[in-house]
Amino acid sequence: QVQLVESGGSLVQPGGSLRLSCAASGSFLYVYTMGWYRQAPGKQRELVASITSGSATNYADSVKGRFTISRDNAKNTATMEMNSLKPEDTAVYYCNARYSERNYWGQGTQVTVSS
């Protein structure tokens, strides 16, 4: 069993920055691909960024060059730095851990980009 707890969501002005953190607990976390997803009102949940156990990263086209995902296997954390935030980045952001058929989600953290 893996438990994920997100933090760092907030209200921020357009052009601002935020750092989201995901604290994970469980066994063999280093084998999991960690990801950040988001869901805006009335929209489907979408992948924002992911990082594999070997630290290969993948980003949605809409956030490339603005968001950076990283992980610290010693601390069992996954972090996403978000820069140049836009109103369309407003959503609930969810941390995800995935390995084989195992798939875990955090409770989500709200990010609102508004002036």
Side-chain angles (χ1 to χ4, degrees), residues 2 5 13 30 39 41 45 54-55 60 66 71 85 92 96 111:
V2 172
V5 178
Q13 291 186 341
Y30 58 90
Q39 187 166 20
R45 190 174 297 190
S55 295
R66 300 188 297 123
R71 67 189 296 164
L85 283 161
V92 177
N96 173 265
V111 172

Side-chain angles (χ1 to χ4, degrees), residues 43-61:
K43 295 188 177 181
Q44 289 188 329
R45 190 174 297 190
E46 63 175 357
L47 174 67
V48 178
S50 64
I51 183 166
T52 67
S53 58
S55 295
T57 57
N58 181 50
Y59 295 93
D61 287 343

Side-chain angles (χ1 to χ4, degrees), residues 69-107:
I69 190 172
S70 60
R71 67 189 296 164
D72 185 332
N73 290 332
K75 296 181 179 179
N76 289 337
T77 58
T79 300
M80 185 163 70
E81 301 280 353
M82 305 188 297
N83 298 312
S84 302
L85 283 161
K86 304 175 181 180
E88 51 263 43
D89 294 318
T90 295
V92 177
Y93 283 72
Y94 297 90
C95 182
N96 173 265
R98 176 172 50 85
Y99 176 73
S100 186
E101 73 279 6
R102 299 180 176 92
N103 194 30
Y104 301 98
W105 294 93
Q107 82 288 350

Side-chain angles (χ1 to χ4, degrees), residues 4-25:
L4 305 171
V5 178
E6 303 97 334
S7 62
S10 181
L11 170 65
V12 63
Q13 291 186 341
S17 299
L18 278 178
R19 184 183 188 189
L20 301 185
S21 294
C22 175
S25 60

